[in-house]
Amino acid sequence: MSRVGHHIKAALHQIHSIAGLVLALLLALIALTGSIMSFEDEIGDYMNSAIMQVAPRQAPALMPDELVARLKAEQDLGKVSAVTLSSDPAAAVRVRFARDEQGARPTSLYVDPYDAHVLGAPRGEEFFATVRRLHRWLLIPGDAKGWGRQITGIAALGLMVMLISGLVLRWPRRAASVKMWLKPNLGLSGRGLHRSLHAVIGTWVLPVYLVMTLTGLWYSFDWYKDGVVWLLSRPHVAAAKMQPKQPRAAGRSEPAQPVGFDLAWSTHRREEGDRFSKALLTLPAGPGTVIRIRSWPKDSTLDTTRDEFRVDAVTGQVISAERYADKTLGEKIIANVFDIHRGAFLGWPGKLAFMIAAALMPLFSVTGILLYLSRRRLRRPAQQPLGRLVPGE
């Protein structure tokens, strides 16, 4: 290796070590919480299977406004913000609530669609909500509007630096040798074993970490998100998505009549027929009458493979319709960022692989710190022998 190459590699080693020491614990925390959420949907469905289904009946299901009215008549649970309705007559309705004045969100409820009887609150919802806030925002006040979003983004950028520098430092002399790349030397001990595990297992998970990092930055930095949208979307779609959100005007009051779900729900059923499996109807957060409807086709296998509509709750007019099938490849990638981030785009094997890779992050934190400490010991100068106490002895 030339002298210049040696200096470059030494600089990269220093950058890799400093970034790793600074971010070791933070990256381990983010990765472990991500691995916990990998099979959140499957765990939730298993734990709550008893309250997610009802016995189908001959009588028609209640319209959502009537269902909400009956629910409120039984108990005051706060303001309803969204309902999830299904084309399956045996599926329960899920009712979600808005945050209260303290910023807390009441747990959602599963409700019988035929008589508005409360079937129960989903178990595990609060636990996974806390894990999600820890993963995304480190439980820092303000959630997406606080500093936690930027901190996790900086950690993702640091991981990207470590992945690139680690790959350069890892590059073996025999780059074509699969054994050199992928087989750890378990016969070693101490520093040699730590280095082998750190480098070889790091090579195994490097593609997964790259995908996690590139998609994770989407949720941390608006400039990154806007850049991806500009790069992958058609010009008119990118222009619409990159429009800044309008701040709520002070002094604007709520509509004279409360916004309901019924007209938007009727419009959706008329437009979609029996092509959808379930639909999430969300009321506007502030003043306005436009309801957002996320609709999942019956052949959808991913949470992000869905159509999205906006319907005026007063007139029933469809304001906009964004169908997944009409998107370009780049726009489908954007729509599936979340499922790409967690490996779900590869099915359950992908989710399992991403979960294992995330769970391995503490291994790199531990072995990296051990390698740094052992390197410090090796660089420490040997202790000089003590001088003789008595001259001449």
Side-chain angles (χ1 to χ4, degrees):
M1 181 185 294
S2 67
R3 190 170 183 178
V4 174
H6 178 78
H7 285 305
I8 292 175
K9 205 162 187 179
L12 285 175
H13 195 280
Q14 194 76 1
I15 293 171
H16 187 87
S17 298
I18 293 173
L21 289 172
V22 172
L23 300 173
L25 295 179
L26 180 57
L27 288 173
L29 174 65
I30 294 172
L32 285 176
T33 51
S35 67
I36 291 172
M37 294 188 297
S38 294
F39 287 93
E40 176 185 352
D41 296 337
E42 290 80 359
I43 294 171
D45 290 348
Y46 174 78
M47 293 176 62
N48 300 296
S49 58
I51 62 173
M52 294 174 64
Q53 298 289 320
V54 298
R57 302 167 207 174
Q58 294 297 326
L62 297 173
M63 291 295 285
D65 288 345
E66 174 66 17
L67 184 143
V68 170
R70 291 193 187 187
L71 184 63
K72 287 184 175 181
E74 292 184 6
Q75 49 188 317
D76 185 13
L77 298 169
K79 180 182 177 181
V80 172
S81 63
V83 294
T84 301
L85 304 163
S86 176
S87 61
D88 181 1
V93 175
R94 188 169 185 175
V95 180
R96 292 177 169 85
F97 300 92
R99 296 186 183 276
D100 57 25
E101 294 179 355
Q102 289 73 37
R105 188 188 298 276
T107 184
S108 62
L109 295 174
Y110 281 103
V111 180
D112 191 313
Y114 298 98
D115 59 12
H117 172 69
V118 176
L119 301 173
R123 291 187 295 171
E125 182 180 70
E126 187 174 347
F127 168 76
F128 280 113
T130 302
V131 173
R132 190 177 302 109
R133 290 178 59 235
L134 181 59
H135 178 76
R136 293 180 177 178
W137 310 305
L138 307 175
L139 297 181
I140 293 175
D143 292 345
K145 297 180 181 179
W147 285 100
R149 182 169 174 247
Q150 283 73 35
I151 293 174
T152 55
I154 292 170
L157 289 174
L159 178 58
M160 181 68 70
V161 170
M162 285 190 288
L163 293 174
I164 296 172
S165 59
L167 179 62
V168 175
L169 294 170
R170 168 80 174 95
W171 202 273
R173 294 177 181 176
R174 291 181 294 163
S177 172
V178 175
K179 180 178 178 181
M180 292 289 291
W181 280 106
L182 302 178
K183 184 180 179 181
N185 190 344
L186 301 180
L188 300 174
S189 61
R191 176 179 171 80
L193 178 62
H194 300 156
R195 180 178 177 82
S196 180
L197 292 175
H198 192 89
V200 176
I201 298 180
T203 304
W204 295 353
V205 299
L206 187 142
V208 175
Y209 285 174
L210 278 175
V211 172
M212 287 180 174
T213 305
L214 290 171
T215 52
L217 288 169
W218 170 275
Y219 299 100
S220 292
F221 299 115
D222 290 334
W223 57 264
Y224 182 87
K225 184 175 182 179
D226 290 343
V228 173
V229 169
W230 174 83
L231 183 65
L232 298 180
S233 298
R234 289 167 292 179
H236 69 280
V237 175
K241 288 184 176 293
M242 293 168 64
Q243 286 290 333
K245 293 183 179 179
Q246 296 295 329
R248 296 184 189 176
R252 292 180 65 181
S253 58
E254 295 288 339
Q257 294 294 328
V259 176
F261 295 101
D262 281 2
L263 200 51
W265 174 235
S266 297
T267 299
H268 180 263
R269 288 198 302 181
R270 183 176 66 251
E271 295 290 330
E272 292 300 291
D274 61 353
R275 294 191 297 271
F276 74 100
S277 61
K278 64 176 181 178
L280 170 63
L281 282 69
T282 304
L283 293 174
T289 60
V290 177
I291 289 180
R292 183 185 68 187
I293 302 178
R294 288 178 173 174
S295 178
W296 286 264
K298 287 186 175 179
D299 59 351
S300 173
T301 58
L302 297 175
D303 180 69
T304 47
T305 306
R306 63 187 180 228
D307 302 324
E308 188 159 320
F309 308 92
R310 280 172 169 76
V311 181
D312 192 300
V314 176
T315 65
Q317 179 184 0
V318 178
I319 306 300
S320 66
E322 187 177 307
R323 297 186 181 276
Y324 184 83
D326 296 335
K327 297 178 183 291
T328 64
L329 175 60
E331 291 162 2
K332 288 180 179 179
I333 292 174
I334 291 174
N336 287 302
V337 163
F338 176 66
D339 281 325
I340 295 172
H341 181 70
R342 62 183 186 147
F345 70 106
L346 296 173
W348 72 262
K351 292 173 72 171
L352 180 62
F354 275 52
M355 182 190 74
I356 293 173
L360 285 172
M361 181 63 78
L363 170 69
F364 304 109
S365 300
V366 172
T367 53
I369 292 172
L370 290 175
L371 286 170
Y372 172 78
L373 294 176
S374 64
R375 190 162 59 250
R376 287 288 300 272
R377 286 196 298 269
L378 290 173
R379 289 177 178 176
R380 190 177 302 159
Q383 186 176 3
Q384 297 294 329
L386 295 174
R388 296 179 176 177
L389 296 179
V390 179
E393 289 186 355

